[in-house]
Amino acid sequence: MSPSTMKAKPTSPGNLSQDKNFYIINALTLIAILGGTVFNPALPTISQVFNVSSEQVALVATLFQLPGAIVTPIFGVLADTFGRKQILVPSLLLFALGGMLSGFAQNFRSLLEWRVVQGIGTASLESLQLTIIGDLYRGRQLGAVMAFNAGLIGMSSALFPLIGGLLTGFSWRLPFMISFVAVPVALLVLFTLKLPKQQTNPQNFKLKPYLQNTWSSINNRQVLGLMFAVMIQFMLQVGTCLVYIPLLAGELGASAGFNGFLLASISISVAIVASQLGRITQKFSEIKLIKFSFILAALAFAIIPIIHNVWLLFIPILLIGASQGLAFPSTQALLAGLAAQESRAGFMAVNSTVQSWGQTLGPFLGSLIDIIWGTRIVFASSAIISLISLVIFHALLTTKKPSPSPSPDHPSVALNFVNAEQVNLGESFVEVPTVAEKPIARLFHIQSNKVIELPENFSLLRIGKPNRRSFPDIDLSALPNSDIVSRIHAEIKFEGGEYYIQDMGSSNGTYINKYPLLPGIWYKLKPGLTFSIGRRDAVSFKFQIA
């Protein structure tokens, strides 16, 4: 058995501290962040050493991100075909080589060339570490790993610029030299990381069905809208924050070390807000939080051009960090679970490519604006881009209106009272019917021990509560906590022998195993799966086949 196809042993949520895979995945996360953050405080010094302008030195960031915008999908296909390790190990070694040689560069051109090499090595890291998380973990354990990983991203994004600023005080070359840490991580991936066996191998891999499967997961305006939001987030974060805030602070007399603290404060704000996201989402849906993040970012960027004291930059920077802390975890939560296992690396590679496009476009557009109008107008333009993006995101995420509801005379699906012991709440609840019986799908309401038996033959059922113009097929108005249920909250359909559910743009959202559904997308319902109408599990159902 090859190293990339070893059988991974499942771990329980309580013993992640003993899971070697968990530590290796987080090491990959740190490497993916390192190359794009640690050098930013050194940009003003690099500009002086090589006697280049602010728009030219921005290429150190732009050319590093450029390969990810081009080759990441290719790495995703290769990882699904040949295995995760076969792509990860060479990528880590290339990252280390490009970073080390960037630190030894004797002229600005060679620095840019080696940054491209390092960018190629980084291109697969972010998407593959998210892919591996999806490969190894499920349910509550997946949530625990993602939560820790998100916190690690925030804290490391804060720490690395600080380290970079301190190292730049000795030499601008040192922030690039620490890329060597990718070498021991590559050895850990090769010899210690254990991954589940992949279904796809080079002998039976077919490109066309693979691409069709991946495209079917993406070709939806809601998914495209979500990825658009991701691209804008990274465009503003990298293009405006990580590149032009140090340059503006340098104009105001800040040192490289101060720039490190300045950039670190962004990620500290991200980590603090992201850590409270569980509480925040009890009152606001993920989509509302993403929309609010655009407004918060626009306000922050609009403040920066009028600031002439470097210490006052901390105010908009903390607002920008809060915006990122709301938006990025929300977008990733909505994208979770949308890809099939056999094309997961390809799907996540597309997601990472969109991020790279944003990271590449940010410094590029910023440099154009800087050349024409100056550094401060870069921030004013970012405020305008945030507001325009809010409008586009809202348009893409607005779900189509549901078809006309039946008349009040149309019978609703009945709710039947049962004793709790009559219903098996186990994950594997499936009673095999006799030859004379037909399987009956039903929804078990966990809070009240009520059962909703779905009709034997139906194509579409609306879930909600009635008003004068809306009469859902499944009326939840009699259930406790029905105030969180929208008029037409969700829909269930039966097609091709399978059951599916979709959220209809409800105010409080729909969740499967505590993960939010992206409105307008059908998710498969499997026996034993739990879904919630609204947050806090106040109205929860277990889907069963009896």
Side-chain angles (χ1 to χ4, degrees):
M1 184 176 293
S2 66
S4 65
T5 59
M6 294 180 68
K7 187 70 175 179
K9 295 181 180 179
T11 53
S12 64
N15 69 350
L16 283 176
S17 61
Q18 302 175 13
D19 182 9
K20 294 180 181 179
N21 288 335
F22 176 69
Y23 293 104
I24 296 173
I25 289 169
N26 289 316
L28 291 173
T29 300
L30 294 176
I31 296 298
I33 296 170
L34 180 69
T37 57
V38 74
F39 74 94
N40 284 285
L43 289 178
T45 303
I46 294 172
S47 177
Q48 295 173 3
V49 168
F50 292 111
N51 193 26
V52 295
S53 64
S54 59
E55 58 269 18
Q56 288 176 305
V57 79
L59 291 173
V60 177
T62 303
L63 293 181
F64 172 76
Q65 302 295 344
L66 182 61
I70 300 173
V71 301
T72 298
I74 298 174
F75 286 141
V77 174
L78 294 175
D80 279 328
T81 306
F82 296 99
R84 317 304 193 210
K85 289 188 179 183
Q86 283 79 352
I87 305 302
L88 272 177
V89 172
S91 294
L92 288 165
L93 296 177
L94 197 61
F95 173 90
L97 176 66
M100 291 289 292
L101 293 178
S102 294
F104 285 111
Q106 299 301 310
N107 56 67
F108 188 64
R109 177 177 175 177
S110 63
L111 172 62
L112 296 181
E113 291 172 346
W114 289 119
R115 284 291 283 172
V116 172
V117 173
Q118 190 179 27
I120 295 174
T122 311
S124 70
L125 298 183
E126 185 172 357
S127 64
L128 283 184
Q129 62 96 5
L130 291 173
T131 300
I132 292 172
I133 290 176
D135 289 339
L136 291 175
Y137 303 102
R138 295 290 183 272
R140 293 182 180 180
Q141 195 178 55
L142 174 61
V145 175
M146 290 293 288
F148 184 90
N149 197 256
L152 182 65
I153 290 173
M155 294 309 298
S156 60
S157 297
L159 183 61
F160 287 159
L162 177 60
I163 294 173
L166 295 175
L167 291 176
T168 303
F170 296 97
S171 171
W172 67 267
R173 300 179 185 276
L174 292 180
F176 296 99
M177 298 292 189
I178 61 176
S179 301
F180 181 78
V181 298
V183 175
V185 174
L187 296 176
L188 287 173
V189 169
L190 182 62
F191 297 110
T192 307
L193 182 65
K194 295 182 179 180
L195 299 177
K197 186 175 181 179
Q198 292 180 237
Q199 296 179 354
T200 303
N201 59 63
Q203 286 72 33
N204 60 19
F205 175 78
K206 295 181 180 179
L207 181 61
K208 185 176 181 180
Y210 172 89
L211 294 177
Q212 289 175 339
N213 191 25
T214 304
W215 177 243
S216 66
S217 300
I218 299 170
N219 188 23
N220 179 288
R221 75 172 188 164
Q222 282 87 359
V223 175
L224 295 176
L226 208 56
M227 288 189 172
F228 169 79
V230 170
M231 183 184 73
I232 296 299
Q233 291 165 22
F234 279 83
M235 186 177 78
L236 298 179
Q237 180 190 34
V238 176
T240 302
C241 299
L242 299 184
V243 174
Y244 281 92
I245 283 179
L247 294 175
L248 178 62
E251 293 179 5
L252 297 176
S255 65
F258 185 89
N259 278 336
F261 283 105
L262 200 60
L263 294 179
S265 65
I266 297 177
S267 297
I268 291 173
S269 180
V270 170
I272 292 174
V273 173
S275 68
Q276 299 301 311
L277 205 60
R279 296 181 180 180
I280 298 173
T281 52
Q282 292 182 4
K283 297 182 178 180
F284 304 98
S285 69
E286 282 78 5
I287 291 177
K288 287 182 180 179
L289 293 179
I290 296 170
K291 292 178 180 179
F292 181 69
S293 73
F294 282 120
I295 298 174
L296 199 60
L299 174 64
F301 289 130
I303 293 174
I304 293 177
I306 63 175
I307 291 177
H308 295 278
N309 184 311
V310 69
W311 289 97
L312 293 178
L313 284 175
F314 281 101
I315 297 173
I317 277 176
L318 292 176
L319 293 177
I320 292 169
S323 170
Q324 292 288 328
L326 292 174
F328 184 70
S330 297
T331 54
Q332 297 308 302
L334 289 170
L335 285 169
L338 288 176
Q341 194 278 336
E342 62 272 12
S343 60
R344 182 176 292 127
F347 181 87
M348 297 311 298
V350 172
N351 182 38
S352 295
T353 299
V354 170
Q355 296 177 16
S356 297
W357 287 344
Q359 292 171 325
T360 303
L361 285 173
F364 175 73
L365 294 178
S367 64
L368 292 180
I369 296 171
D370 189 12
I371 292 171
I372 300 173
W373 293 294
T375 302
R376 292 181 181 271
I377 303 302
V378 173
F379 299 101
S381 301
S382 297
I384 296 173
I385 291 173
S386 294
L387 295 177
I388 294 174
S389 300
L390 171 62
V391 175
I392 296 174
F393 178 76
H394 175 76
L396 290 172
L397 267 291
T398 300
T399 57
K400 63 180 181 180
K401 295 182 179 180
S403 55
S405 299
S407 67
D409 298 329
H410 182 84
S412 297
V413 179
L415 280 71
N416 303 318
F417 287 89
V418 298
N419 295 324
E421 58 269 19
Q422 290 179 265
V423 180
N424 184 342
L425 294 182
E427 288 292 325
S428 60
F429 175 80
V430 183
E431 294 181 2
V432 181
T434 65
V435 176
E437 294 176 332
K438 292 183 65 176
I440 298 175
R442 61 188 189 182
L443 307 179
F444 175 77
H445 182 237
I446 295 173
Q447 287 76 24
S448 67
N449 289 357
K450 294 179 180 179
V451 163
I452 303 174
E453 291 190 350
L454 305 185
E456 291 186 9
N457 299 298
F458 74 92
S459 58
L460 186 71
L461 295 175
R462 286 169 284 264
I463 303 174
K465 57 186 180 183
N467 61 8
R468 294 181 179 179
R469 297 186 300 174
S470 175
F471 304 95
D473 302 291
I474 301 177
D475 181 2
L476 303 183
S477 59
L479 294 179
N481 302 311
S482 63
D483 56 301
I484 67 173
V485 180
S486 298
R487 300 305 173 186
I488 300 296
H489 194 107
E491 292 181 341
I492 292 178
K493 74 173 180 179
F494 181 70
E495 184 178 277
E498 301 285 354
Y499 294 87
Y500 302 87
I501 186 171
Q502 73 166 338
D503 182 80
M504 294 303 294
S506 60
S507 298
N508 293 304
T510 307
Y511 296 77
I512 289 181
N513 292 337
K514 301 184 183 298
Y515 286 93
L517 305 191
L518 187 60
I521 291 183
W522 291 104
Y523 294 77
K524 184 180 292 187
L525 285 172
K526 296 181 179 180
L529 181 146
T530 299
F531 69 90
S532 302
I533 301 296
R535 296 173 293 277
R536 302 185 297 276
D537 294 331
V539 182
S540 301
F541 297 92
K542 187 173 288 289
F543 180 72
Q544 301 173 331
I545 303 292

